[in-house]
């Protein structure tokens, strides 16, 4: 899942070297924290949050197949 988020984010931003994904595990599931350059946050979020919400849907589907709850945060 971490690799998927990194791949999508790096293909969207203008500075792919700034993309970092951290994984935190808890009792309820997995939380991914995506960090990008400040100038690229709008590209990752998209208009009205459509891009980031699409990424969240993909992660939830992947997590559901594994029996996990997955959340994505943008930092």
């Amino acid at each position: 899942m971490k690799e998927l988020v990194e791949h999508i984010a790096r293909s969207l931003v203008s500075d792919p070297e700034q993309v970092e994904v951290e994984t935190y595990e808890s009792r309820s599931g997995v939380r991914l924290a995506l960090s990008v350059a400040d100038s690229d946050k709008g590209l990752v979020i998209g208009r009205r949050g459509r891009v980031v919400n699409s990424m969240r849907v993909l992660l939830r589907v992947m997590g559901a197949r594994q029996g996990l709850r997955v959340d994505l945060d943008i930092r």
Side-chain angles (χ1 to χ4, degrees), residues 15-58:
D15 188 9
E17 298 298 321
Q18 294 278 331
V19 174
E20 294 180 13
V21 179
E22 297 176 21
T23 305
Y24 303 101
E25 295 189 25
S26 64
R27 290 181 295 185
S28 62
V30 178
R31 180 174 296 270
L32 299 170
L34 173 63
S35 299
V36 296
D38 288 336
S39 60
D40 290 330
K41 283 186 182 179
L43 296 172
V44 173
I45 294 171
R47 289 190 180 180
R48 298 186 185 204
R50 288 182 181 157
V51 174
V52 73
N53 285 335
S54 298
M55 290 170 55
R56 287 178 176 141
V57 168
L58 288 172

Side-chain angles (χ1 to χ4, degrees), residues 8 13 16 31 39 59:
I8 293 171
V13 298
R31 180 174 296 270
S39 60
L59 290 172

